[in-house]
Amino acid sequence: KNQVEQSPQSLIILEGKNCTLQCNYTVSPFSNLRWYKQDTGRGPVSLTIMTFSENTKSNGRYTATLDADTKQSSLHITASQLSDSASYICVVSYGNNRLAFGKGNQVVVIP
Amino acid sequence: NAGVTQTPKFQVLKTGQSMTLQCAQDMNHNSMYWYRQDPGMGLRLIYYSASEGTTDKGEVPNGYNVSRLNKREFSLRLESAAPSQTSVYFCASRVRFRGRQDEKLFFGSGTQLSVL
């Protein structure tokens, strides 16, 4: 069973609309959770980090939330743009500097 | 400051051929990683090096070997390529601080490998 589950696997949204991506994890002890953005043909790039004490953090049009009690995180994209078309990967750091990866949310923004 | 540099970007091999994927980082990071990414599977760890002089197996090490040549360079070798090793390979580096929360992975741009 995958230790980090992301949903939906893929979605298509109209330019200008909002969307929310989900990440549920089971690993422990929790250290932090990062969201990465991976453009087609490129390596993933960090968007934001969530630590145990943080509930919400924004990076431009991206807002991440974390509920450490339920082990859930979300990434909300506001007023989507064509450049938001990418895969969004949830990565949880736990234990002795171990990392668990989700399989990614594939987002396609259409005009 | 180039970050993480991988070569080559594309490679086609025949079954049984060998090759080495090169990776170098100029950020003075302690840890380096090799991942493979397959459709529907996400990123899977092949090998990692927590520090210069050490290497450890990850989730899918079979068929691969690695060398941490120095702090900057971490290479991945396929001794006898198989079609199952067709994938996109990513090298990454990470600085590690005890108790720090700002550490993160920096990825290279990837190597698209096809084994026929």
Side-chain angles (χ1 to χ4, degrees), chain B residues 23-66:
Chain B
C23 176
Q25 51 93 8
D26 60 3
M27 296 172 283
N28 202 35
H29 286 173
N30 310 102
S31 303
M32 297 186 73
Y33 306 79
W34 276 105
Y35 294 92
R36 61 177 290 173
Q37 187 175 40
D38 303 291
M41 299 295 291
L43 287 156
R44 291 183 293 168
L45 181 64
I46 304 171
Y47 269 93
Y48 68 99
S49 171
S51 61
E52 184 179 356
T54 68
T55 60
D56 287 285
K57 295 179 180 179
E59 182 184 355
V60 288
N62 292 345
Y64 305 95
N65 284 303
V66 290

Side-chain angles (χ1 to χ4, degrees), chain B residues 87-106:
Chain B
S87 186
V88 181
Y89 291 84
F90 288 98
C91 177
S93 70
R94 179 186 183 200
V95 62
R96 295 174 65 178
F97 301 106
R98 186 181 297 277
R100 287 278 291 272
Q101 297 299 325
D102 59 351
E103 58 181 43
K104 61 184 176 183
L105 288 167
F106 291 81

Side-chain angles (χ1 to χ4, degrees), chain A residues 20-106:
Chain A
T20 300
L21 313 176
Q22 298 289 344
C23 174
N24 297 339
Y25 60 93
T26 60
V27 295
S28 65
F30 176 85
S31 178
N32 61 65
L33 182 151
R34 276 193 185 271
W35 284 94
Y36 288 81
K37 180 187 179 188
Q38 184 177 20
D39 294 317
T40 301
R42 308 294 296 273
V45 176
S46 176
L47 280 176
T48 187
I49 181 173
M50 303 298 291
T51 58
F52 190 86
S53 60
E54 295 173 310
N55 298 118
T56 303
K57 183 181 287 185
S58 291
N59 177 6
R61 294 180 297 99
Y62 299 102
T63 299
T65 67
L66 174 66
D67 186 333
D69 291 331
T70 61
K71 297 187 176 183
Q72 296 180 326
S73 177
S74 67
L75 182 69
H76 184 78
I77 305 175
T78 302
S80 61
Q81 299 177 359
L82 297 179
S83 59
D84 293 330
S85 294
S87 178
Y88 294 84
I89 302 170
C90 175
V91 182
V92 182
S93 177
Y94 69 102
N96 184 19
N97 276 298
R98 301 185 68 179
L99 298 174
F101 286 75
K103 295 181 180 181
N105 306 98
Q106 186 66 48

Side-chain angles (χ1 to χ4, degrees), chain B residues 20-23 34 65-69 73-77:
Chain B
T20 300
L21 280 65
Q22 306 288 349
C23 176
W34 276 105
N65 284 303
V66 290
S67 296
R68 183 73 183 267
L69 304 171
E73 299 172 290
F74 188 39
S75 62
L76 178 71
R77 182 160 179 84

